[in-house]
Amino acid sequence: MINITSREKREYMTSLMRKRSIIALCSGIIELVLVFYALLQGYYKTTAVCGEDIFASYMYFTMITNTLAGISVAFVIPFAVEGIRDRRFTLPRWVSVMLFTSVNSITIVMVTVLGFLGRVAPEDAFGYGGVFTHIVCPILVIILFFQIEGGCRFTIKDCLFSCLPITIYMAVYYVMVVVIGSENGGWKDIYYITDHLQPVLAVILGLIVAFSVSFILSRLSNYLSKRRKERAFRYWDKDVEPIEASIEAYGLGVAMAQNTKRERIWIPYDILEELACRYDLEASDLVKAFVKGLEVNM
């Protein structure tokens, strides 16, 4: 067993939190650039190539997903900046779920292009910047999503919620293409669904694919979160006395009081809860020890 002092443990946690913030910030900025470029590609295809109004580009689910991704990651960046300043990176659950929803939607686009559209209409799928928009950008966005360590564990409920954008889109698409039809002012079948599948069957398959993608992404994200949490606490031994855990919590309080401005002090409930769970203690006792550590240096 490596002998690591309490001071080194606290310094490790502080460094790790700051590193996570920097990674989240860099990932967020890169993702913003990617989706912005993908949107420009879509706008160009709609206006210059197809000769339609720029707003007609939002008939394509690709454009909707990239817009949603841009909005979602824009919410992440302020928290990453704050994390760098405070050496602490946390995301509200609603931001994590929103980001997960956008990534799920973008992944669905890629799967649909590779599994269906690329076979029936390869020029539409891969032409005019389609390779970047439908393949390269989604892959990079997925990778960046797994780099942002929000610490949120996604549930089946979150998976269902993440399927909401594609569900709404399919409902609108069905009405505009199948019920109304392009000859009556609806949309043309830009995905060639009616040429190859029964519309109802296409909807059912779409829902199955959407949930399957979200489930896989959520399990992988949860697995990586668990591994990162284990790595973050690898310097803490499993077998310690309760008083030692309380001393660690007290030390974290002291370290925060010494390195953080008074008005920006926060209580790291997730870290203390993890310590409590690890040592089979009451989280409230560790919170009290942490607060005492704060009070000594304030």
Side-chain angles (χ1 to χ4, degrees):
M1 180 66 64
I2 300 175
N3 185 22
I4 304 294
T5 67
S6 296
R7 179 184 177 86
E8 289 172 326
K9 293 175 185 177
R10 294 191 291 271
E11 289 177 348
Y12 169 77
M13 291 297 294
T14 300
S15 174
L16 180 62
M17 290 299 176
R18 189 170 186 276
K19 178 182 176 182
R20 288 181 176 179
S21 302
I22 294 174
I23 291 175
L25 177 62
C26 294
S27 298
I29 293 174
I30 294 172
E31 183 172 336
L32 268 182
V33 172
L34 288 172
V35 298
F36 180 72
Y37 182 72
L39 287 172
L40 289 180
Q41 291 275 7
Y43 294 143
Y44 173 77
K45 179 180 179 180
T46 303
T47 56
V49 179
C50 299
E52 299 181 6
D53 185 85
I54 190 172
F55 294 104
S57 61
Y58 282 93
M59 286 192 304
Y60 297 89
F61 189 59
T62 304
M63 299 297 290
I64 297 174
T65 58
N66 281 308
T67 302
L68 179 61
I71 295 173
S72 300
V73 79
F75 282 108
V76 173
I77 291 176
F79 290 99
V81 172
E82 184 179 39
I84 294 173
R85 181 172 54 190
D86 295 344
R87 300 178 180 86
R88 168 72 173 155
F89 178 64
T90 57
L91 283 179
R93 181 172 177 79
W94 67 269
V95 175
S96 296
V97 173
M98 186 177 180
L99 186 63
F100 172 62
T101 300
S102 68
V103 172
N104 181 49
S105 299
I106 285 181
T107 307
I108 291 170
V109 170
M110 182 178 67
V111 171
T112 302
V113 168
L114 292 176
F116 178 74
L117 190 60
R119 299 173 183 272
V120 302
E123 185 176 349
D124 286 351
F126 305 118
Y128 306 108
V131 172
F132 176 83
T133 305
H134 296 142
I135 306 299
V136 177
C137 183
I139 289 175
L140 294 176
V141 167
I142 293 170
I143 294 173
L144 293 171
F145 168 69
F146 290 127
Q147 301 307 309
I148 299 175
E149 304 179 37
C152 177
R153 290 189 61 82
F154 299 109
T155 64
I156 295 297
K157 182 179 178 180
D158 296 325
C159 291
L160 293 173
F161 180 83
S162 71
C163 295
L164 191 58
I166 185 62
T167 302
I168 295 175
Y169 180 81
M170 285 193 296
V172 174
Y173 191 86
Y174 184 89
V175 171
M176 296 300 289
V177 173
V178 179
V179 178
I180 298 177
S182 59
E183 65 277 5
N184 297 315
W187 295 348
K188 63 180 180 180
D189 189 5
I190 55 179
Y191 294 116
Y192 307 95
I193 300 296
T194 56
D195 294 339
H196 300 276
L197 293 171
Q198 290 293 328
V200 175
L201 177 60
V203 170
I204 294 174
L205 289 175
L207 292 174
I208 292 174
V209 170
F211 182 78
S212 299
V213 169
S214 67
F215 183 81
I216 293 172
L217 288 175
S218 68
R219 297 308 101 177
L220 183 55
S221 177
N222 291 346
Y223 170 76
L224 292 175
S225 294
K226 181 180 178 181
R227 288 290 302 272
R228 286 163 177 158
K229 184 176 289 187
E230 291 174 350
R231 187 173 70 246
F233 287 89
R234 69 177 183 266
Y235 287 152
W236 274 267
D237 298 333
K238 281 284 188 178
D239 302 321
V240 300
E241 296 297 326
I243 186 61
E244 293 181 78
S246 296
I247 292 173
E248 295 291 352
Y250 176 86
L252 285 173
V254 172
M256 178 170 292
Q258 293 174 343
N259 294 285
T260 308
K261 293 182 179 180
R262 181 168 183 158
E263 63 273 13
R264 304 197 63 82
I265 286 178
W266 41 265
I267 298 178
Y269 289 106
D270 56 338
I271 294 177
L272 297 177
E273 287 175 354
E274 179 65 23
L275 286 173
C277 180
R278 191 176 184 86
Y279 301 134
D280 195 23
L281 301 171
E282 291 293 332
S284 59
D285 294 335
L286 297 184
V287 171
K288 292 176 182 178
F290 175 84
V291 171
K292 287 182 179 179
L294 288 175
E295 292 173 344
V296 168
N297 289 272
M298 291 179 62

